[in-house]
Amino acid sequence: VQLQASGGGLVQPGGSLRLSCTASGVSLPLEYWAINWFRQGPGLEREGVACITSSGAETYYLDSVKGRFTISRDNAKKTVTLQMNSLKPDDTAVYYCSSDILGTFCSPKLNGFASWGQGTQVTVSS
């Protein structure tokens, strides 16, 4: 499945952004997959931020975003959303959404990135 992230931008510290993930292609549809959001800052490795199982029943978060970020999905609309509140400069990165290598479940360490497409830039700065 080919995934595309959108919704990034420039925001001041303490602000909010809402990222969306949509899918294209003829393979298994987005609603089949657990979906990860991960980010990659300049000169940094990829870092898993959040994951949601295919049913939406379970979610997982990086410790540093717990209480600030919320991952959700609407399988009828074929969209996965990452609501980001109380943003900090350390959140600055390119954000990507990906399917999980475990299929319908999330990899426990938020590192099961299977397939992803174009990311979206998030810049938190005053």
Side-chain angles (χ1 to χ4, degrees):
V1 60
Q2 187 72 16
L3 299 172
Q4 181 166 346
S6 63
L10 173 64
V11 64
Q12 292 185 344
S16 298
L17 282 174
R18 187 178 181 89
L19 306 184
S20 294
C21 177
T22 55
S24 62
V26 297
S27 59
L28 289 170
L30 180 143
E31 54 265 36
Y32 170 83
W33 300 96
I35 298 296
N36 291 279
W37 283 98
F38 69 91
R39 64 190 180 188
Q40 188 162 21
L44 300 176
E45 294 185 355
R46 287 178 296 184
E47 179 179 56
V49 173
C51 186
I52 187 167
T53 55
S54 60
S55 68
E58 298 178 17
T59 57
Y60 304 85
Y61 296 94
L62 180 68
D63 283 349
S64 64
V65 308
K66 285 180 180 177
R68 300 189 297 123
F69 291 10
T70 302
I71 188 171
S72 61
R73 68 191 302 156
D74 184 335
N75 284 340
K77 295 182 178 180
K78 304 182 186 300
T79 301
V80 175
T81 298
L82 184 68
Q83 177 67 42
M84 305 188 297
N85 299 327
S86 302
L87 283 161
K88 304 176 181 180
D90 285 350
D91 296 318
T92 295
V94 179
Y95 283 71
Y96 302 83
C97 57
S98 79
S99 53
D100 199 286
I101 59 174
L102 295 186
T104 59
F105 297 100
C106 291
S107 299
K109 296 184 178 181
L110 292 177
N111 60 355
F113 315 130
S115 177
W116 61 91
Q118 183 176 349
T120 186
Q121 176 71 48
V122 171
T123 303
V124 185
S125 176
S126 54

